[in-house]
Amino acid sequence: MEEKLRFIKEQSQNKSAENKKFFRKLKQKPPKNLDSIMQDLHEEVFAYTDCLKCANCCKTTGPLFT
């Protein structure tokens, strides 16, 4: 798991400029149901992610509590 996280981190750093451009473009046209999309993605990811072992996202953004 840790090796996969390192790989993902390296890939995100390698594509930083591309990701920023993509997210800038997304901000211009957010979907009307963005909140529900993000809630679904959140539930999907946290179904198999153990936050106590990773905690990487909490370093930059807080977890979603409902």
Side-chain angles (χ1 to χ4, degrees):
M1 178 72 165
E2 290 179 30
E3 185 176 317
K4 287 182 183 180
L5 291 174
R6 273 193 294 266
F7 176 75
I8 292 170
K9 184 177 181 178
E10 288 174 11
Q11 290 298 311
S12 68
Q13 289 172 344
N14 292 340
K15 297 190 180 255
S16 179
E18 184 179 338
N19 288 337
K20 285 181 183 180
K21 182 179 175 182
F22 174 74
F23 285 114
R24 216 176 304 123
K25 188 174 181 180
L26 277 181
K27 279 185 176 183
Q28 293 173 356
K29 291 186 175 182
K32 291 180 182 179
N33 60 343
L34 181 60
D35 289 336
S36 63
I37 291 172
M38 290 307 297
Q39 180 66 34
D40 292 343
L41 288 172
H42 172 84
E43 296 297 329
E44 180 182 334
V45 169
F46 283 94
Y48 64 85
T49 301
D50 183 0
C51 289
L52 297 175
K53 289 183 179 177
C54 174
N56 191 40
C57 59
C58 293
K59 293 175 185 173
T60 57
T61 58
L64 175 66
F65 292 102
T66 57

